[in-house]
Amino acid sequence: MSISRVATHMKGKEDKIAVLVGTVTNDNRFLDVPALKICALRFTETARARITNAGGQCITFDELALLAPTGSNTILLRGPKRREAQKYFGKGAGISGSGTHIKKQSKKSSEAKRK
């Protein structure tokens, strides 16, 4: 998850700790990084540098267990859910501008249905 997405989720909650099970990455389009306290599995080098230069903290889950053993004052963030079934949603297959497609059948199975 990028720094900009974490910052938008944490707007108005700067006193709490953002917990993310994943990697925090840099976003060059995001200019003003707020001072946030973020707990994640990994940080890219540039993301860690930008967060610490803004006055924030990058902590690990071990440090989080010492700071907030009960999980109070933490906000759990997650990335977007993507499922395989979502590629079949939207406009019908065959309509112009549609990204969906028909699940193709083999020639043998279609001949067996005709008999």
Side-chain angles (χ1 to χ4, degrees):
M1 185 179 284
S2 67
I3 295 176
S4 61
R5 191 168 295 244
V6 172
T8 55
H9 285 300
M10 296 300 290
K11 189 170 282 188
K13 305 168 196 163
E14 286 81 10
D15 57 331
K16 300 189 183 229
I17 301 171
V19 180
L20 173 67
V21 181
T23 305
V24 177
T25 57
N26 187 28
D27 190 356
N28 293 330
R29 301 167 296 176
F30 190 61
L31 301 177
D32 299 324
V33 178
L36 295 173
K37 192 180 283 190
I38 303 173
C39 172
L41 288 176
R42 285 184 56 233
F43 293 89
T44 60
E45 291 179 15
T46 52
R48 185 183 297 271
R50 289 188 69 188
I51 292 168
T52 53
N53 288 342
Q57 282 184 326
C58 301
I59 61 175
T60 62
F61 282 94
D62 297 338
E63 295 167 345
L64 177 68
L66 297 173
L67 288 173
T70 60
S72 59
N73 290 327
T74 61
I75 295 182
L76 184 62
L77 302 176
R78 67 165 180 82
K81 289 192 286 187
R82 294 189 183 101
R83 300 183 304 139
E84 183 183 354
Q86 287 180 337
K87 66 181 165 185
Y88 303 109
F89 295 172
K91 293 183 181 178
I95 297 174
S96 64
S98 168
T100 58
H101 59 278
I102 300 171
K103 290 184 179 179
K104 297 192 169 107
Q105 295 179 343
S106 66
K107 187 175 179 182
K108 289 182 181 179
S109 65
S110 61
E111 286 177 4
K113 286 182 182 179
R114 281 189 246 150
K115 290 183 181 179

